[in-house]
């Protein structure tokens, strides 16, 4: 079976084609194409501008994906699209494209939960068996474990997602959004040498990032507009923008490691799977690896091809559901900004 996947819940527009062998076995990625809406430094991406970008690019990306995969419309079994969660206008643009293709080509529709798409793609690529999942992105921060055909949320962000915290701080420093603000913060953090004290907000199994962002924004203003030079108390060396990026990463990632370890202890798992755009951060993977190693466990993660939003994860998760008999009727092929991970009945797993 072959599925076409369309993803456009935020500023990444992804189109992918995947093949599931009839007799089982690993999936084959036929094509995985992505185009990103990049806003100017110091600015975020507005829903209306992002939706316009998706409408402009989706036809050419679909044609490119078909050409790269070497398949025809007749070879495709179903069309999978992101039903939610995400930004309303971009989601609508992609849902309309999916409905149009379904009517033009006479193919079944499958609405996919964006978060479940990340999890299933991570499991497929890494072959992780039954891990605790840390899902970290610009819109979501969740610690998840599977039980009784649901992906249960053990902990999550109480306010803004960790990726949103990083993105907004990048705007404060007017760091480029190309290729991604979080990636550019990561590169600056590698040059940081001094750890600045920031709030640490873990509340049970949940995290809060808005206060940390407010605090480091104040420190950034002190650094950029201060009348006197700000120096480290121990070394006497000047505090830099790189030090702030380093401090923010170390603090928020330590919080994520703590709640993930607590979930591992609760469910008795020795594996961690990191998914979502922030999951491609090497420092987060390193910190999580140190924790897992101390517990005799292991960490699984993918590179930016699969961590960052993409169409192939929607195709994969959609095809898993399609093979169990799931279909999304045309009149129900809507999208929603709020679609909880644990709302999805995971019929394809025991």
């Amino acid at each position: 079976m072959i599925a076409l996947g369309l993803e456009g819940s935020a500023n990444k527009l992804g189109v992918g084609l995947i093949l599931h062998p009839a007799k089982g076995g690993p999936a084959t990625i036929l094509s995985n194409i992505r185009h990103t809406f990049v806003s100017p430094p110091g600015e975020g991406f507005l829903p209306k501008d992002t939706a316009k970008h998706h409408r402009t690019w989706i036809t050419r990306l679909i044609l490119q994906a078909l050409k790269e995969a070497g398949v025809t419309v007749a070879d495709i079994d179903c069309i999978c699209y992101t039903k939610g969660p995400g930004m309303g206008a971009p989601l609508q643009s992609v849902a309309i494209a999916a409905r149009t293709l379904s009517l033009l080509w006479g193919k079944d529709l499958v609405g996919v939960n964006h978060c479940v798409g990340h999890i299933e793609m991570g499991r497929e690529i890494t072959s992780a068996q039954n891990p605790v999942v840390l899902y970290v992105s610009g819109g979501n921060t969740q610690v998840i474990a599977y039980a009784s055909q649901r992906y249960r949320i053990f902990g999550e962000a109480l306010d803004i997602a960790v990726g949103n915290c990083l993105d907004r701080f990048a705007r404060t420093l007017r760091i480029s959004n190309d290729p991604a603000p979080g990636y550019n913060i990561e590169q600056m953090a590698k040059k940081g040498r001094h750890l600045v004290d920031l709030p640490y907000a873990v509340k049970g199994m949940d995290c809060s990032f808005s206060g940390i962002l407010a605090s480091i924004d104040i420190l950034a203003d002190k650094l950029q507009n201060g009348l006197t030079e700000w120096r480290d108390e121990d070394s006497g060396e000047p505090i830099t923008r790189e030090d702030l990026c380093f401090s923010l990463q170390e603090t928020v990632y330590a919080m994520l490691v703590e709640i993930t370890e607590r979930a591992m202890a609760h469910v008795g798992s020795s594996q961690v799977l990191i998914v979502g755009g922030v999951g491609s951060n090497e420092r987060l993977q390193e910190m999580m690896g140190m924790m897992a190693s101390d517990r005799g466990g292991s960490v699984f993660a993918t590179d930016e091809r699969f961590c960052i939003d993409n169409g192939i994860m929607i195709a994969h998760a959609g095809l898993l559901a399609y093979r169990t008999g799931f279909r999304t009727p045309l009149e129900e092929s809507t999208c929603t900004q709020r679609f909880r991970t644990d709302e999805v009945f995971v019929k394809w797993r025991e």
Side-chain angles (χ1 to χ4, degrees):
M1 286 185 173
I2 296 177
L4 171 69
L6 306 177
E7 153 61 25
S9 59
N11 68 324
K12 311 286 192 304
L13 176 64
V15 178
L17 283 154
I18 198 165
L19 167 68
H20 284 190
K23 296 182 180 180
T28 301
I29 296 169
L30 303 177
S31 61
N32 185 23
I33 298 170
R34 180 170 54 222
H35 195 274
T36 303
F37 171 66
V38 179
S39 54
E43 298 181 17
F45 48 91
L46 297 175
K48 62 182 180 67
D49 296 332
T50 310
K52 182 179 179 181
H53 165 269
H54 291 0
R55 292 194 299 269
T56 301
W57 280 90
I58 194 161
T59 300
R60 68 185 83 176
L61 260 60
I62 292 169
L63 292 174
Q64 185 181 345
L66 289 170
K67 182 178 180 181
E68 184 178 301
V71 302
T72 65
V73 172
D75 298 321
I76 297 173
D77 292 281
C78 61
I79 297 168
C80 311
Y81 75 98
T82 304
K83 187 177 181 70
M87 300 171 69
L91 282 171
Q92 287 178 353
S93 297
V94 174
I96 290 170
R99 285 197 292 270
T100 302
L101 291 179
S102 174
L103 292 170
L104 281 174
W105 296 349
K107 306 293 181 180
D108 289 321
L109 275 173
V110 179
V112 176
N113 180 287
H114 179 86
C115 314
V116 172
H118 273 296
I119 295 170
E120 292 301 348
M121 198 70 237
R123 290 181 62 238
E124 177 67 24
I125 296 298
T126 65
S127 299
Q129 296 303 308
N130 191 28
V132 167
V133 179
L134 175 64
Y135 171 36
V136 278
S137 69
N140 298 275
T141 300
Q142 297 175 350
V143 177
I144 301 161
Y146 174 80
S148 303
Q149 295 189 301
R150 300 274 177 179
Y151 284 114
R152 312 288 177 174
I153 301 172
F154 279 71
E156 59 191 319
L158 295 172
D159 37 44
I160 61 173
V162 63
N164 187 245
C165 176
L166 295 169
D167 291 350
R168 286 165 66 175
F169 184 59
R171 278 183 244 164
T172 299
L173 295 184
R174 300 192 67 82
I175 298 171
S176 171
N177 291 320
D178 187 16
Y183 173 81
N184 293 330
I185 280 185
E186 179 184 2
Q187 303 315 307
M188 291 181 66
K190 291 176 180 178
K191 302 174 184 176
R193 300 178 57 190
H194 306 109
L195 185 66
V196 176
D197 188 34
L198 293 171
Y200 187 93
V202 171
K203 304 178 181 182
M205 283 297 297
D206 300 323
C207 291
S208 174
F209 298 103
S210 59
I212 299 170
L213 176 63
S215 178
I216 199 165
D217 277 348
I218 293 171
L219 295 178
D221 182 69
K222 173 184 176 181
L223 178 66
Q224 296 177 139
N225 302 315
L227 297 178
T228 58
E229 192 173 44
W230 181 17
R231 292 183 175 273
D232 179 64
E233 293 180 359
D234 295 326
S235 66
E237 295 179 342
I239 297 296
T240 64
R241 287 155 46 102
E242 288 77 10
D243 291 330
L244 293 184
C245 292
F246 167 73
S247 301
L248 179 60
Q249 277 201 165
E250 293 297 302
T251 303
V252 298
Y253 293 164
M255 292 161 56
L256 295 174
V257 169
E258 178 183 336
I259 62 173
T260 303
E261 182 176 19
R262 196 172 292 131
M264 291 175 70
H266 182 79
V267 303
S269 175
S270 62
Q271 296 182 340
V272 180
L273 172 63
I274 309 176
V275 299
V278 180
S280 60
N281 185 286
E282 294 176 357
R283 179 56 179 158
L284 174 58
Q285 294 180 14
E286 180 185 17
M287 293 172 69
M288 197 66 70
M290 293 168 63
M291 177 274 289
S293 178
D294 288 344
R295 298 181 59 86
S298 53
V299 172
F300 297 86
T302 64
D303 58 31
E304 64 277 0
R305 291 174 299 166
F306 306 109
C307 262
I308 298 172
D309 292 351
N310 58 86
I312 203 71
M313 71 182 195
I314 302 302
H316 178 60
L319 195 50
L320 289 172
Y322 180 80
R323 292 170 61 180
T324 69
F326 180 82
R327 308 288 188 275
T328 300
L330 190 67
E331 59 272 16
E332 296 178 14
S333 59
T334 56
C335 54
T336 174
Q337 292 179 266
R338 291 176 173 83
F339 190 2
R340 297 278 293 178
T341 310
D342 50 11
E343 290 180 37
V344 179
F345 180 61
V346 187
K347 191 176 181 179
W348 56 90
R349 290 191 65 179
E350 295 180 357

